[in-house]
Amino acid sequence: MSDPIKVLVTGAAGQIAYSLLYSIAKGDVFGKEQPIILVLLDIGPMMPVLDGVVMELQDCALPLLREVIPTDKEEVGFKDLDVAILVGSMPRRDGMERKDLLKANVAIFKAQGSALDKYAKKTVKVLVVGNPANTNCLIAAKSAPSIPKENFSCLTRLDHNRARSQVAMRCGITADGVKNVIIWGNHSSTQYPDVHHCKVHIKGKDEAAFDAVADDAWLKGDFISTVQQRGAAVIKARKLSSAMSAAKAICDHMRDIWSGTADGEFISMGVYSSGNSYGVPEDLIYSFPVTIKNKTWKIVDALPINEFSRAKLDATAAELVEERDTAVAFLSA
């Protein structure tokens, strides 16, 4: 077996982490031969809860789990990390304006970026989950100047999985028969779930999604709004935000970073926009279609973008530019 890798999960006493930690510890993400040291970071008042999480991880008797380190201290949490999964963030509260939410999260992710810069390995792979995920990821990256920007990404895999599942259900097949959906832009209600390049494996062959579904009005209407609003629909039904599906998406995202994407397939993740071929403004964390090899992502270039898609790409980019400018103003305040 190889040496253990050190994996941090923040917000580790929360419900997403509760669904996530077992999958990481048993080898679903980094492989069945890869020992793990789990570092669980949360705020001081949550430490008693975290103690219970540690007991449960111990009680799972998992052979790959070499050590669990619960902490509320940045110098312990970010030390010598191979992977950082930043789940914890300030949630939006009743009466809170978006700029107030941004301001609170800028403070959190500035501190965590600085801690990564100071304590983590320079090769650390950082996934930001806590919302607003794209802009939080940008702030963390800007606050860690010695770590390559390419090492930072934010989670849009949950939206990607939601889109795959909607198309699969519509076609009466399982989700593994749907590939190359794209989530463009922000992890918000302006995101654009795009199936113009999607393939559906049906009746023994691959078909274009628009042909397989054979309902253009649905694909350009209810499908998009369903994926955009799915998180809100889950909250309305459960009275809690997505946890099980978010944890599964985190596992999918990190496993693809670690092991690479399948030949002929691309997935969606929020990455640095600099140098992209789609006219998306520079210096954003924007969700693109990417392929991954040797732990390095590459934006899939030169996919044709029609007028319908162009307007959607631009609208979500405009929201991200506004978020970035507000957040950067707070960062330098």
Side-chain angles (χ1 to χ4, degrees):
M1 279 207 176
S2 50
D3 292 334
I5 59 169
K6 205 169 184 185
V7 179
L8 166 70
V9 177
T10 71
Q15 60 157 351
I16 292 175
Y18 194 74
S19 293
L20 171 67
L21 293 169
Y22 174 70
S23 292
I24 293 175
K26 82 179 178 77
D28 290 351
V29 180
F30 301 103
K32 302 296 184 186
E33 302 294 317
Q34 179 58 66
I36 301 279
I37 296 170
L38 267 179
V39 187
L40 310 182
L41 180 69
D42 216 312
I43 56 175
M46 298 307 292
M47 294 309 289
V49 178
L50 214 47
D51 288 341
V53 175
V54 172
M55 285 187 248
E56 285 213 72
L57 283 166
Q58 291 166 344
D59 295 349
C60 288
L62 296 163
L64 292 173
L65 186 58
R66 295 298 166 83
E67 190 179 359
V68 184
I69 304 169
T71 185
D72 59 356
K73 294 177 173 57
E74 286 181 346
E75 62 271 23
V76 176
F78 289 88
K79 179 79 172 162
D80 294 333
L81 293 180
D82 296 284
V83 175
I85 303 172
L86 307 183
V87 178
S89 64
M90 168 75 78
R92 192 166 190 164
R93 301 201 172 108
D94 283 346
M96 192 183 239
E97 291 187 26
R98 191 166 180 82
K99 69 178 184 194
D100 298 325
L101 182 69
L102 271 172
K103 187 174 186 177
N105 280 297
V106 164
I108 293 168
F109 286 87
K110 179 182 180 180
Q112 293 191 347
S114 299
L116 284 163
D117 200 57
K118 188 172 181 182
Y119 301 112
K121 292 179 181 176
K122 301 309 174 193
T123 53
V124 65
K125 299 295 185 185
V126 183
L127 167 58
V128 176
V129 179
N131 286 319
N134 297 61
T135 300
N136 287 345
C137 183
L138 186 71
I139 294 303
K142 284 180 177 293
S143 303
S146 69
I147 296 171
K149 297 285 184 280
E150 295 74 30
N151 290 23
F152 288 82
S153 57
C154 86
L155 189 74
T156 56
R157 186 60 168 268
L158 177 52
D159 311 299
H160 181 99
N161 288 349
R162 287 165 170 164
R164 283 180 74 192
S165 179
Q166 289 295 317
V167 171
M169 288 190 291
R170 195 77 174 187
C171 293
I173 62 171
T174 54
D176 61 350
V178 180
K179 66 181 181 183
N180 296 353
V181 301
I182 303 167
I183 303 297
W184 297 98
N186 200 2
H187 176 63
S188 75
S189 59
T190 69
Q191 65 174 257
Y192 172 41
D194 178 9
V195 290
H196 285 92
H197 310 285
C198 172
K199 297 283 187 232
V200 177
H201 194 75
I202 197 163
K203 295 175 185 169
K205 65 181 198 302
D206 283 351
E207 279 191 45
F210 273 84
D211 296 335
V213 172
D215 187 343
D216 288 15
W218 180 77
L219 283 173
K220 290 185 172 183
D222 286 350
F223 162 72
I224 292 173
S225 57
T226 296
V227 176
Q228 287 174 333
Q229 303 292 337
R230 189 67 162 190
V234 170
I235 290 172
K236 187 176 179 184
R238 280 191 81 221
K239 310 298 183 274
L240 292 165
S241 59
S242 306
M244 178 173 33
S245 56
K248 163 65 164 54
I250 292 165
C251 291
D252 291 345
H253 180 117
M254 286 309 312
R255 186 180 58 249
D256 282 346
I257 286 180
W258 221 249
S259 303
T261 47
D263 287 345
E265 288 193 37
F266 45 78
I267 53 96
S268 307
M269 48 195 268
V271 296
Y272 245 89
S273 63
S274 299
N276 76 88
S277 66
Y278 295 104
V280 173
E282 302 280 299
D283 198 34
L284 296 174
I285 298 285
Y286 187 100
S287 184
F288 291 97
V290 303
T291 56
I292 305 169
K293 192 173 182 182
N294 299 324
K295 298 189 176 71
T296 303
W297 55 263
K298 185 176 184 297
I299 294 172
V300 178
D301 277 333
L303 293 171
I305 303 295
N306 62 22
E307 280 185 35
F308 178 84
S309 295
R310 183 74 259 165
K312 302 279 190 193
L313 264 71
D314 291 346
T316 192
E319 182 183 58
L320 277 170
V321 167
E322 186 181 343
E323 269 188 27
R324 176 199 64 197
D325 291 349
T326 305
V328 168
F330 289 138
L331 189 63
S332 54

